[in-house]
Amino acid sequence: VKKKVSVSKLSMNKKKFTVKKGKKLRLTVMKKPVTATNKVNFRSSDRRIASVTSHGVVTGKKKGRVTVTAVSSNGKKVSCKITVK
C-alpha cells in the first residue's frame, strides 16, 4: 500500500510568457515534496483567449491576456500570466 504524500508547495517553470496566436507552450509544474501524490489540474481565466490541457499545454487563440493556474487536489496553487499576440 502506497502512503499518500500531500503537496506542500507548487512551482511552475514560467511566471509570465508571451505566445503567438495559434502557437503552443508547455507549462511544467513541480511539486514539493517530489513524492507528493496529489493530482494537479490546469485552468485558464479565459478559454476564448488561451486554452490549456490537463497536461499544461497552452494554446493561444486570440489576442489578449489570461492567467493559467495549476491547482493541486489539496488546494495549493501556482499561476502564470500569458499574453497572446
Side-chain angles (χ1 to χ4, degrees):
V1 177
K2 284 188 176 184
K3 184 179 175 185
K4 292 191 178 202
V5 178
S6 290
V7 170
S8 61
K9 184 178 179 184
L10 292 177
S11 58
M12 202 177 288
N13 62 329
K14 308 257 185 222
K15 292 279 184 207
K16 58 187 195 175
F17 199 79
T18 300
V19 65
K20 290 185 178 178
K21 189 172 115 176
K23 297 293 181 183
K24 295 183 182 201
L25 154 75
R26 171 106 191 211
L27 295 175
T28 306
V29 171
M30 287 70 70
K31 301 178 201 175
K32 284 194 179 165
V34 188
T35 56
T37 55
N38 300 82
K39 297 241 186 247
V40 175
N41 293 311
F42 290 87
R43 66 175 177 241
S44 171
S45 60
D46 189 339
R47 284 186 260 160
R48 294 170 298 178
I49 295 173
S51 62
V52 62
T53 68
S54 60
H55 299 290
V57 178
V58 178
T59 303
K61 292 186 165 183
K62 72 176 195 178
K63 289 183 180 184
R65 290 186 176 154
V66 296
T67 301
V68 172
T69 306
V71 183
S72 68
S73 56
N74 70 337
K76 301 293 181 189
K77 296 179 185 178
V78 63
S79 298
C80 176
K81 294 185 185 305
I82 305 283
T83 302
V84 180
K85 292 197 171 189

